[in-house]
Structures are given as structure tokens and as C-alpha cells.
Amino acid sequence: MEKLLITGPTSLKGEVEISGAKNAAVAILPATLLIDGVCTIKNLPNISDVKISCEILEALGAKITWIDKNSITVDSRHITTTQAPLNLTSKFRASYYIIGAMLGRMGKVQVAMPGGCQLGARPIDQHVKGFEALGAEVSIEKGQINASAKKLTGNSVYMDIVSVGATINIMLSSVLAEGTTIIDNAAKEPHIVDVANFLNTMGADIRGAGTDIIKINGVEKLNGNATYCVVPDQIEAGTFMLAAVASKGDILIKNCITKHLESITAKIIEVGGNVEDYGDSIRVWNNERPKHATIKTLPYPGFPTDLQPQMGVVLSLADGTSIIDESIWDSRFQYTDELNKMGSKINAQGSRAFFEGVPQLEGAPVYSTDLRAGAALIIAGIVANGETQIYNLEHIDRGYENIEEKFRKLGANIKRVNE
Ligand code: EPU
């Protein structure tokens, strides 16, 4: 079993390069199934969720050629089956994008119910609502989703809940539909804009992505023959920003879009950190114990739930009592039990947690309960006294490229060992 060994405390200093966005990549890869041609994708993060996505595409008949560790070409001219491999699609959440893409391209698909981080109930009713509005029939039996449509026709879909996945999935299923689809109350995350940009580069006609009304005019065919570069990862950038604050460090975060980081920047300044914005890079430094704060996670442009655990480490060290309200996922406070093993004083009750700040954390053996919890525990290990051992690394490897190498370059004493 692999574990991370971290010896702290370290004040992180230096520069870090941000990889392509996981949550854009895991949607853009299925989107290639809509293309009757060959396309090139660059700046893919080299993470296990991307590798599994590629394996699923290959199992459906697409041909993937790796140009280097972050770039591929995908040839989706010959899709040979509509049965997605159940063992792979059940492994991670974003496999639900195979449904929208295959419905659009083949009018039919069978996939496993999506797996992924255990963050509480993760229903897909809004995805299904969208597919049905376009004319598809969807049934869920014995852990398998079957979707089919004789013909997909554009329609208006009002999202009852702001959902990243459902917004993207309805875009995927409607780009080749006849007529116009309008998604009302759409999610506005940067990766939604990125998926729309990708599809438009390949010949789609999507307007309004990044606002809460997206209009998709169906086109006959996507041709490919183009190269697309995945947007930088907003959450990875935010993770290093918060690591700079927690460790009283000074980090220049390169290759990011600082506009995507505004809610994080605002909260960092509120807790006493310093931020200098250079547009495509951002410097974050902090010399003082963080001040306490109140945070509520919200859909973009609000404070992202995917940075809530990392912010939790900052607040566990703050002067005074802080509160986090988690409004997206029921079980996103599992990491607080692990942080409490390291000396933090966090009391999580339902969707709210109280952080009574402590001056110092102490190293301990801890378990990564999900991807972002894992990132938070790494930050905690770096700022804690003594040795921290982090287990369940498969969660972390799903979403962060070379994470220990990136932290090591910033001065962290971190290594991966096989027990
Ligand atoms: N929801 C429904 N019905 C649906 C879909 C969603 O009730 O049909 C609810 C969810 O239960 C949740 C809320 O709506 O309470 C928002 O869920 P959303 O659909 O936006 O989440 P998602 O698409 O499944 C993506 C990211 C998550 C991130 C959330 C919120 C991907 C692959 N995953 O999930 O990322 O937390 O959006 O921003 O894009 C992560 O990267 O660690 C991660 C968990």
C-alpha cells in the first residue's frame, strides 16, 4: 500500500506550474465521441481520471494516440459499440458524460451508474430531465443506465438545481440534435465554458456558456481536424494559493486564469493573506496567523466546494472561531475527523462546521476520504509539527498531477513510499 510521508513544518516558497483542469478534461474527452473526425487535445492533466476516460473511449471504438504525457489525438470516426465498459464507467463520476455524448452521436448507450468520491447522495435526475426533454428514454436497472432516442430534438430545459454535470451533459446531447436547445439556470463554472469552446472549435454552435442561459443550435456534424488546449485547473491553483496561506509561505502560481480565482482571492485577503494578480499567474504570501472567517460554498462564481477542505486547514489554524457552510455536498466534512487527529478543533454538524482555531497542528497517520480531502491533508501535513502519514492515495491521484513533486519543489519534505 502506498502512503505519503510528510515531515513539517515547512513554509512553502517558490513557483508552481498549474496543469490542465480535471473537470474540463473529463468532459472534453467524452465530447470527442461527437466528432466524426480526428482532433488533438493538449494540456490534459496526467491523472488517473483522464487515463480511465481514455480507456472508455477506446473501448467504444475511438483510437487514441498519445503525443506526449499531456497531449493526445482522438479519432472517433468509427464507434463500434454503444455498451460502455461497466467496470470502468462505475469507477468515477464523470463517466455520466458518456451518456450525453453517445446519445448525441449514436442515439443509444448503456453505462454503469457513475462512481467517484463519496460526497453524499449524487443523483442524476437533472441529467435525465434534460435527456428526456430532447426526446430520449432513460431507464436505470441493476446499476446500469440505458438511454436511447430515435431522434433528438432541441427543447427548453429548466434546471431545478444548478448542476455542473447536468449542464454539460445537456450540451453534449444537444449539439447534434435538430433545432435549438435552451438550458435555463445553467451552471457557470469555467469548465462549462471550456467544454463549449471545445465543441465550438470542432463545429458546434453553442452560445452563452458562462451565463445562466445557454443556447445550443444543433448542427449536422462536428468535423474535428482542430487542436484544443484544456483550460488551467482553477481548483489546483486554489489549492496552492491556500497552501501558501496555511504555511505562511510565498508562492507564485503560474499558468492560471486569475479571473477564475476571484472568490478565493477575496477570502484569502479576508483572512490576512496577500495576493498579487498578474492575469495569468498569481502570487500569494502570508506572514501572520490567519484571521477567522465565515465561508459558504456556492456554485461559481461563489466559493467552490472543491476548495472547502483546503480552506478548512487555513481556518483550523486561524485566530478565533470560523464557520463553514457547505451547500453542495452532504458529506464533504469527512476530512474534519482526520484533521482533528492532527490537533485541530473542528465540530462538524450537518452542513455546517465550526473551526476553533489552534496555533499549531501535529503530524499523525490520516486517511484521505476523497480527492479534495486528500489535498487538504497534504497541506495540513506540511504545516504540522513532525511526521504525517497519508493513506488512500488513489483519491489524490485521480485529480492532481505530480502533486508531491510540485510540493517538493516548493520546499516540502514529502515522499511517496510503498508500505
Ligand atoms: N444534483 C442533483 N441532481 C442532479 C445533479 C446534481 O440533485 O441531477 C445536486 C448534487 O447532489 C449536488 C448539486 O446538485 O448537491 C451540484 O452537483 P453538480 O451536478 O454540480 O456536481 P457534479 O457535476 O456531479 C462537479 C464536479 C465536482 C464538484 C461539483 C460542484 C466533475 C466531474 N465533478 O460534480 O468535483 O464538486 O461539480 O462544483 O466536474 C472534485 O473535483 O473533487 C469534485 C467532486
Side-chain angles (χ1 to χ4, degrees):
M1 193 192 352
E2 284 191 327
K3 64 178 179 183
L4 284 177
L5 271 186
I6 307 175
T7 309
T10 302
S11 190
L12 298 171
K13 292 201 166 68
E15 296 180 1
V16 64
E17 195 82 34
I18 297 305
S19 299
K22 167 184 93 89
N23 288 343
V26 297
I28 286 173
L29 287 168
T32 62
L33 292 168
L34 290 160
I35 299 170
D36 192 9
V38 184
C39 65
T40 303
I41 306 172
K42 294 188 168 172
N43 203 35
L44 281 170
N46 194 269
I47 53 175
S48 66
D49 269 9
V50 161
K51 289 175 196 151
I52 298 174
S53 300
C54 288
E55 286 174 40
I56 296 173
L57 297 187
E58 284 177 322
L60 292 167
K63 285 201 176 63
I64 292 186
T65 310
W66 286 86
I67 303 167
D68 59 43
K69 72 177 179 46
N70 302 107
S71 315
I72 59 172
T73 61
V74 188
D75 178 352
S76 299
R77 281 175 297 182
H78 306 290
I79 301 303
T80 49
T81 175
T82 59
Q83 173 71 61
L86 300 183
N87 60 329
L88 295 179
T89 47
S90 62
K91 267 193 189 162
F92 76 132
R93 181 72 184 162
S95 60
Y96 50 41
Y97 293 135
I98 299 292
I99 311 174
M102 286 292 282
L103 261 182
R105 175 72 186 273
M106 307 293 283
K108 195 174 173 193
V109 69
Q110 303 86 43
V111 301
M113 275 298 276
C117 288
Q118 297 306 316
L119 303 173
R122 298 186 77 169
I124 58 162
D125 56 298
Q126 298 302 306
H127 304 237
V128 174
K129 177 179 175 178
F131 300 144
E132 288 178 345
L134 297 177
E137 283 180 16
V138 184
S139 65
I140 303 175
E141 282 165 42
K142 297 184 184 157
Q144 175 164 304
I145 305 170
N146 307 301
S148 63
K150 286 200 179 72
K151 182 182 171 193
L152 291 170
T153 310
N155 201 346
S156 291
V157 186
Y158 176 79
M159 304 269 80
D160 302 311
I161 287 176
V162 178
S163 160
V164 172
T167 301
I168 292 178
N169 235 341
I170 297 167
M171 272 183 354
L172 294 176
S173 56
S174 61
V175 283
L176 297 176
E178 191 177 293
T180 299
T181 299
I182 293 173
I183 310 175
D184 200 345
N185 200 23
K188 296 181 277 201
E189 269 68 3
H191 33 292
I192 289 171
V193 179
D194 207 39
V195 178
N197 286 343
F198 168 76
L199 289 165
N200 284 344
T201 304
M202 302 299 153
D205 182 356
I206 302 173
R207 299 164 194 211
T211 75
D212 51 15
I213 297 189
I214 303 179
K215 190 171 165 188
I216 303 119
N217 295 313
V219 295
E220 270 184 19
K221 203 173 165 189
L222 299 187
N223 292 310
N225 304 326
T227 297
Y228 192 78
C229 192
V230 177
V231 74
D233 198 310
Q234 170 211 18
I235 303 300
E236 190 196 9
T239 299
F240 283 102
M241 290 169 78
L242 294 167
V245 179
S247 72
K248 294 189 189 151
D250 187 344
I251 307 181
L252 180 66
I253 295 141
K254 296 169 84 174
N255 183 36
C256 57
I257 298 175
T258 57
K259 172 83 189 144
H260 296 164
L261 302 168
E262 283 175 347
S263 63
I264 303 126
T265 298
K267 280 295 165 188
I268 286 179
I269 292 170
E270 211 176 299
V271 300
N274 305 287
V275 181
E276 241 167 41
D277 181 341
Y278 308 111
D280 60 359
S281 63
I282 196 161
R283 178 182 164 212
V284 179
W285 74 101
N286 176 35
N287 307 316
E288 308 287 335
R289 187 172 177 192
K291 298 182 191 131
H292 63 95
T294 300
I295 308 253
K296 181 169 183 165
T297 64
L298 288 168
Y300 187 81
F303 191 90
T305 175
D306 293 344
L307 287 171
Q308 190 259 95
Q310 301 87 317
M311 190 67 186
V313 178
V314 172
L315 298 184
S316 70
L317 292 162
D319 193 1
T321 300
S322 302
I323 298 176
I324 297 184
D325 280 310
E326 169 59 50
S327 79
I328 313 288
W329 299 120
D330 296 340
S331 305
R332 198 138 227 184
F333 283 129
Q334 293 173 78
Y335 74 92
T336 60
D337 287 338
E338 302 305 302
L339 270 192
N340 283 345
K341 290 179 190 166
M342 300 177 73
S344 67
K345 290 191 181 160
I346 310 168
N347 180 5
Q349 298 170 1
S351 62
R352 172 170 280 191
F354 298 87
F355 294 71
E356 192 189 318
V358 297
Q360 182 61 49
L361 297 177
E362 301 296 327
V366 286
Y367 290 83
S368 163
T369 48
D370 63 70
L371 169 60
R372 308 304 172 184
L377 292 174
I378 292 178
I379 300 173
I382 288 167
V383 303
N385 271 327
E387 188 177 273
T388 295
Q389 302 168 30
I390 305 178
Y391 295 90
N392 292 356
L393 303 188
E394 65 280 5
H395 291 302
I396 301 171
D397 294 338
R398 282 189 33 230
Y400 286 94
E401 177 171 352
N402 287 339
I403 192 162
E404 64 258 34
E405 205 178 303
K406 289 186 183 184
F407 274 116
R408 209 165 23 239
K409 271 177 127 175
L410 294 169
N413 186 343
I414 176 170
K415 63 179 176 199
R416 187 180 288 243
V417 293
N418 216 328
E419 218 174 38

